[in-house]
Amino acid sequence: MQLVVGRVGRPHGIRGDVAVQVRTDDPGLRFAPGVVLATDPAALGPLTVRSVRWHSGRLLVSFDGVTDRSLAEGLTGTFLVVDSAEVGPPSDPDEFNDHDLIGLQAVTKAGDLVGTVRDVLHHGQDLLVIRQAAGPGDDALVPFVMAIVPEVDIAAGRLVIDPPPGLLGPDDGS
């Protein structure tokens, strides 16, 4: 599975540097000089990081072979990706990689199937997007906090949720 670690933004200056919108918790590792990144679309890569620096809160990256503004403009909007096999487990046992959560079955504390984790959103608070098994198949947005998701068992392929009333819909019986 390919994981997006960044998206190329606008060029910076005339020497081929680009701003990168970071989508990884470890930009120091993912964008270190010498790292080779696959791209989406694939035809624009792979790209090898030549240098990296922070400027005014933005990550500026230069890639081998991208030596002027015109070449840098051609990369705008390109996604920088790594294979999920390259991403190790988090060091904190209470943290999880998004790709490990996607596909898990969500069940209630009573063992009732709620649905399947379809995505993880990071908007101020982490949210699990769960495709509900019952009803019209709508997605439920479940805050990924210990009080609501007390158990995650990746090996068993499931997580347990304890939703407050109304979280899964008006007739969720919580």
Side-chain angles (χ1 to χ4, degrees), residues 65-136:
V66 181
T67 55
D68 63 34
R69 187 174 185 90
S70 296
L71 293 171
E73 285 173 347
L75 296 175
T76 301
T78 301
F79 290 98
L80 305 170
V81 297
V82 297
D83 191 284
S84 61
E86 296 177 27
V87 178
S91 58
D92 184 342
D94 290 330
E95 289 186 13
F96 303 91
N97 291 318
D98 292 357
H99 66 275
D100 290 331
L101 297 170
I102 295 170
L104 295 182
Q105 295 293 307
V107 297
T108 64
K109 288 178 93 175
D112 298 325
L113 178 65
V114 175
T116 304
V117 178
R118 189 175 65 77
D119 201 358
V120 182
L121 304 177
H122 305 281
H123 298 290
Q125 175 177 339
D126 295 340
L127 297 169
L128 299 174
V129 180
I130 298 176
R131 173 69 61 174
Q132 296 188 72

Side-chain angles (χ1 to χ4, degrees), residues 3-7 20-25 27 30-31 37-38 79-82 87:
L3 304 174
V4 175
V5 294
R7 184 171 183 263
V20 171
Q21 299 163 356
V22 177
R23 297 188 182 174
T24 176
D25 288 343
R30 298 289 165 221
F31 299 104
L37 297 165
F79 290 98
L80 305 170
V81 297
V82 297
V87 178

Side-chain angles (χ1 to χ4, degrees), residues 4 10 16-17 35 45 51 62 64 75 101 108-109 154 162 166 169:
V4 175
R10 298 181 0 198
D17 292 352
V35 167
S51 66
S62 64
D64 287 349
L75 296 175
L101 297 170
T108 64
K109 288 178 93 175
I154 300 218
D162 187 13

Side-chain angles (χ1 to χ4, degrees), residues 1-16:
M1 166 191 272
Q2 295 289 305
L3 304 174
V4 175
V5 294
R7 184 171 183 263
V8 177
R10 298 181 0 198
H12 179 84
I14 61 171
R15 294 190 176 100

